[in-house]
Amino acid sequence: MIQLNNTDTIVAVATASGTGAIAVIRLSGPEAITITNSVFKGKDLTKQASHTIHFGTIRDNEKVLDEVLVSLFVAPHSYTKENVVEISCHGSDYIVQQIMQLLLKQGARLANAGEFTKRAFLNGQFDLAQAEAVADLIASDSALSHDVAMKQMRGGFSQEIKRLRAELVHFASMIELELDFGEEDVEFADRDQLRSLIGNIQSIIRELLMSFELGNVIKNGVPTVIVGKPNAGKSTLLNKLLNEEKAIVSDVPGTTRDFIEDEISIAGITFRFIDTAGLRETTDKVEAIGVERTMQKLSQSSLIIYLFDITEETPAKVQAELERLNPNNLPLVAVANKIDQASPEKLAAFVTMEGLVQISAAEGAHLEDLKQALVEKVNLGKLDTQSQTIVTNLRHVDSLNKTYAALDDVLNGLGLGISGDLVAADIRRALYSLGQITGEITTDDLLDNIFTKFCIGK
């Protein structure tokens, strides 16, 4: 378990590892400015105002390590609400390591993973749900995932939870007050109002829980498996979608023997495409293993692209194959490939097939139609990430489920006419679970589990 000592001054590289134009080294803690000033040749940093930038050199005794820009953020006007310094130096690994060693020698301590954000949370800069959103924002790789993470980091989800919790706290306090007058048989908390409130809160929680399916898609992308018979053009399609030669393309059936995976963003949604081995009976052991893995990937997917060669198939055969491959009725897009090689009669035979997308992967024809069909299958509808609260975190889902169950117990208890102290205990359970989302109720183990998943330097 991380032992956080806010008398320490911590340091870490805030930029990604590897050689680049610049690197940023971040310090936070009571001695951040003093330690930096001890190795900085330029203005006296201890006498400068917050939110100012200063040019100078970092020196190890008389040896100049680099010319740098130093940004100052004086407590409490910083990310962590402590003194924070950011040193922008040249991105040489050697320079970065030399400056880091010098700062450690002057009394700084190497930061743990997520320790800057953990200090920000403990110092009241934001709540726990907002802190988790910082990690989501860093990891966001599409417009939607960015929008959702940004809204949560700015407190959208937290405000919803705090409002629900405040309403419950009021009734809990009224019931607790009743317990103080237990012998006088008084009732401060109107039971009908409490039932109505709980019904309203449960309705909101149901909406939040239902949003997780969309939230998970937005945050982690849509696992999309491309399946079909050998030589249907699956690898060609993947290459066209990715706009690169990711998969080997050959006229020889069974070229793809393992799955190939990559992702792209379409209309702000990340799709994780998986090209699989062609589906057929085979005596080749390696190819058979690939076919088996294809079936495993199908069961794990959220969306299926069934690709077939329109010159080789009939609508009846395709329909039968779709029913065989998709017994769980997952979202599926049927795609007829090689329309550039098909006769007018063959194309006409598939006109009545509902939802069919016709393309030529080799020519890149009608790929926009396919992309549109994929977006529609994800069914985000007219999702408004600016106003709609969307749950993306499994920890939050667990707490919401526990809250819902505790409120069920409150309703059951009210129906049975149980004593106020037992009703109050169930309300406290609901408050505890809601409080865990925002960090009003937390433990060291929970914080460690959350912040150790952050990168060092954040």
Side-chain angles (χ1 to χ4, degrees):
M1 184 175 67
I2 296 173
Q3 296 297 323
L4 187 66
N5 183 352
N6 280 354
T7 63
D8 288 351
T9 294
I10 56 175
V11 63
V13 182
T15 44
S17 60
T19 303
I22 63 168
V24 176
I25 297 170
R26 173 182 287 165
L27 300 93
S28 180
E31 301 302 320
I33 297 173
T34 303
I35 288 173
T36 306
N37 195 57
S38 68
V39 299
F40 178 74
K41 183 71 172 180
K43 292 182 179 178
D44 184 347
L45 299 177
T46 62
K47 297 180 180 178
Q48 306 308 313
S50 182
H51 293 71
T52 55
I53 301 175
H54 307 279
F55 174 77
T57 58
I58 296 291
R59 302 191 179 207
D60 186 0
N61 295 320
E62 294 304 313
K63 180 181 179 182
V64 177
L65 296 180
D66 198 12
E67 293 183 342
V68 301
L69 289 174
V70 174
S71 303
L72 298 182
F73 306 90
V74 180
H77 307 294
S78 72
Y79 179 72
T80 61
K81 287 200 168 184
E82 302 172 340
N83 287 334
V84 170
V85 175
E86 292 183 352
I87 303 171
S88 299
C89 62
H90 290 95
S92 154
D93 284 339
Y94 173 77
I95 291 174
V96 171
Q97 291 305 315
Q98 290 298 304
I99 295 176
M100 283 290 293
Q101 289 177 23
L102 187 60
L103 295 170
L104 293 171
K105 192 188 303 181
Q106 297 300 314
R109 170 176 66 75
L110 192 63
N112 293 301
E115 190 169 353
F116 290 92
T117 302
K118 186 175 184 179
R119 288 187 175 206
F121 162 69
L122 292 173
N123 290 331
Q125 182 73 289
F126 38 59
D127 65 37
L128 196 54
Q130 290 174 286
E132 289 171 300
V134 172
D136 290 344
L137 186 64
I138 293 170
S140 64
D141 55 6
S142 69
L144 282 175
S145 60
H146 168 270
D147 289 348
V148 171
M150 181 61 75
K151 183 186 177 186
Q152 292 190 3
M153 190 180 75
R154 296 175 70 85
F157 178 53
S158 298
Q159 290 168 10
E160 185 88 20
I161 297 302
K162 287 175 181 176
R163 183 177 64 80
L164 298 180
R165 198 167 186 270
E167 292 177 350
L168 269 180
V169 164
H170 170 71
F171 270 95
S173 62
M174 291 297 99
I175 292 176
E176 296 281 0
L177 189 60
E178 290 177 7
L179 300 179
D180 292 337
F181 293 85
E183 296 180 0
E184 300 181 28
D185 194 27
V186 294
E187 189 175 277
F188 294 106
D190 185 291
R191 274 21 180 196
D192 289 335
Q193 287 185 13
L194 180 56
R195 288 188 186 92
S196 176
L197 172 65
I198 290 175
N200 179 53
I201 292 175
Q202 286 190 316
S203 176
I204 294 171
I205 289 175
R206 279 195 299 271
E207 289 182 9
L208 291 173
L209 290 171
M210 288 172 63
S211 77
F212 178 68
E213 183 176 352
L214 296 180
N216 194 45
V217 164
I218 292 169
K219 182 177 178 179
N220 299 314
V222 186
T224 306
V225 176
I226 306 173
V227 296
K229 295 179 180 178
N231 268 12
K234 299 184 298 298
S235 297
T236 302
L237 176 59
L238 179 67
N239 289 341
K240 287 292 184 181
L241 289 170
L242 298 176
N243 201 27
E244 64 171 297
E245 297 297 315
K246 186 79 173 183
I248 298 172
V249 176
S250 169
D251 292 332
V252 179
T255 302
T256 303
R257 298 190 171 200
D258 204 348
F259 60 87
I260 300 168
E261 188 170 344
D262 212 329
E263 60 184 44
I264 62 170
S265 178
I266 304 173
I269 305 167
T270 300
F271 288 85
R272 293 194 285 113
F273 289 110
I274 306 163
D275 178 23
T276 59
L279 296 169
R280 67 171 179 176
E281 296 292 332
T282 178
T283 57
D284 186 302
K285 291 184 178 179
V286 176
E287 189 180 350
I289 293 172
V291 173
E292 183 182 342
R293 289 184 177 180
T294 295
M295 300 308 294
Q296 291 175 352
K297 285 293 177 181
L298 267 176
S299 65
Q300 298 166 4
S301 66
S302 298
L303 179 60
I304 300 170
I305 297 175
Y306 178 70
L307 188 73
F308 64 92
D309 182 346
I310 195 171
T311 67
E312 299 286 340
E313 301 292 346
T314 65
K317 286 183 180 179
V318 170
Q319 195 61 50
E321 188 70 355
L322 292 178
E323 292 173 4
R324 184 182 72 84
L325 290 175
N326 194 22
N328 297 324
N329 201 30
L330 291 171
L332 182 146
V333 178
V335 183
N337 190 24
K338 305 186 183 180
I339 60 171
D340 54 317
Q341 302 173 26
S343 65
E345 293 78 17
K346 181 64 78 169
L347 293 173
F350 282 90
V351 167
T352 58
M353 191 168 178
E354 186 178 353
L356 179 68
V357 179
Q358 298 189 8
I359 69 167
S360 170
E363 300 295 327
H366 304 300
L367 291 186
E368 290 304 315
D369 293 342
L370 173 57
K371 291 178 180 179
Q372 181 62 34
L374 294 174
V375 171
E376 290 174 358
K377 281 293 180 182
V378 173
N379 195 29
L380 292 182
K382 296 181 179 179
L383 181 65
D384 184 358
T385 55
Q386 299 305 312
S387 61
Q388 187 174 343
T389 301
I390 301 169
V391 179
T392 62
N393 189 305
L394 194 58
R395 186 183 73 83
H396 300 165
V397 170
D398 180 60
S399 291
L400 287 170
N401 276 321
K402 289 177 178 176
T403 302
Y404 195 95
L407 294 176
D408 262 348
D409 290 341
V410 174
L411 289 177
N412 292 334
L414 291 175
L416 294 171
I418 65 174
S419 62
D421 57 338
L422 295 178
V423 172
D426 289 331
I427 293 178
R428 284 195 294 270
R429 278 174 47 224
L431 289 171
Y432 181 88
S433 295
L434 284 176
Q436 281 194 316
I437 294 175
T438 57
E440 292 171 83
I441 305 293
T442 191
T443 64
D444 287 343
D445 288 340
L446 174 63
L447 294 183
D448 288 344
N449 184 53
I450 291 170
F451 289 106
T452 53
K453 295 175 182 176
F454 280 61
C455 55
I456 293 177
K458 191 57 182 174

